[in-house]
Amino acid sequence: MAINIAHHSSSGWGFSTSDLILQARLRLPRTRIDQIAAMGGLTKKEIAGVLGITERNLYNQHQGDLSVQLSERLLLLEKLFTHGLDVFDHQQAVFTTWLRTPLAELATPEVGFAPPQSPYTPKPIAEMGTKQGPPDLSAQRHTQSLPRSQPEASAARPYPTPLSLLDTVTGCKLVDNVFTRIEAGVFS
């Protein structure tokens, strides 16, 4: 079914809200869950958590078509994963690793982190960037694989991972915003 996107309002996710509503109301088949989970490299347990249902319910009770709500969540997740894979040049291993990496950019008051206490002061342009070449990643990999003799002094809460926020639509939008920042050259 072709839909004229020009005459419909945008959802902010790169496709029209009318298209999203129509596709969700058609109710996706259960097999789409596995396809979308594979896009993001998610396990059955992870995809069930993202969709807000137990793994048992996901695989025992959802044998036919999904509900409109689950269909909509899957469509949003599919769009998010497509955007993420585009950002990471379709390197799925890099993308799935990134989904599980704690990011300071996601540590917002909405996800339980206090807002910054000091005002933001931008650096002078002369101090931005680096004049050094790229770091030697093989040396970093070697030091990271060495066992640590003492636990880190800071017992601060770890930053949230993108995957940990995908159980809410707002969390998906935060992750999508990070993809947009990466595309714009603001590395996250």
Side-chain angles (χ1 to χ4, degrees):
M1 167 188 288
I3 296 176
N4 185 354
I5 298 174
H7 293 90
H8 301 285
S9 63
S10 174
S11 66
W13 291 83
F15 49 90
S16 73
T17 52
S18 298
D19 190 26
L20 177 65
I21 291 168
L22 289 174
Q23 286 185 40
R25 286 183 176 164
L26 290 174
R27 301 171 56 139
L28 298 177
R30 166 47 205 95
T31 56
R32 286 289 292 274
I33 293 173
D34 295 325
Q35 294 167 353
I36 294 169
M39 283 179 73
L42 303 183
T43 65
K44 291 178 181 182
K45 184 176 183 175
E46 288 170 331
I47 191 69
V50 166
L51 295 175
I53 56 179
T54 66
E55 188 178 350
R56 181 177 179 170
N57 283 345
L58 178 64
Y59 288 95
N60 292 338
Q61 294 182 4
H62 293 284
Q63 294 301 319
D65 291 339
L66 302 173
S67 68
V68 173
Q69 293 80 10
L70 276 178
S71 296
E72 180 182 37
R73 288 299 308 274
L74 274 175
L75 290 167
L76 289 173
L77 198 59
E78 179 179 39
K79 187 66 178 173
L80 181 71
F81 285 173
T82 300
H83 189 190
L85 286 167
D86 287 345
V87 167
F88 289 100
D89 296 326
H90 300 279
Q91 296 178 28
Q92 187 174 19
V94 175
F95 174 61
T96 58
T97 299
W98 182 87
L99 281 175
R100 291 163 176 80
T101 303
L103 297 177
E105 290 81 3
L106 298 175
T108 64
E110 295 87 0
V111 294
F113 285 82
Q117 299 302 316
S118 61
Y120 172 72
T121 306
K123 290 182 179 179
I125 291 179
E127 293 178 20
M128 291 184 186
T130 181
K131 294 181 174 84
Q132 302 169 348
D136 181 7
L137 297 178
S138 62
Q140 283 183 327
R141 190 176 314 124
H142 177 68
T143 58
Q144 288 176 351
S145 64
L146 295 176
R148 295 183 181 177
S149 58
Q150 296 179 0
E152 295 195 23
S154 172
R157 232 174 18 178
Y159 294 124
T161 65
L163 181 58
S164 72
L165 301 179
L166 298 184
D167 61 335
T168 66
V169 174
T170 304
C172 288
K173 190 62 180 165
L174 283 172
V175 172
D176 193 56
N177 289 343
V178 174
F179 291 148
T180 302
R181 291 180 64 211
I182 293 170
E183 287 175 319
V186 181
F187 299 104
S188 298

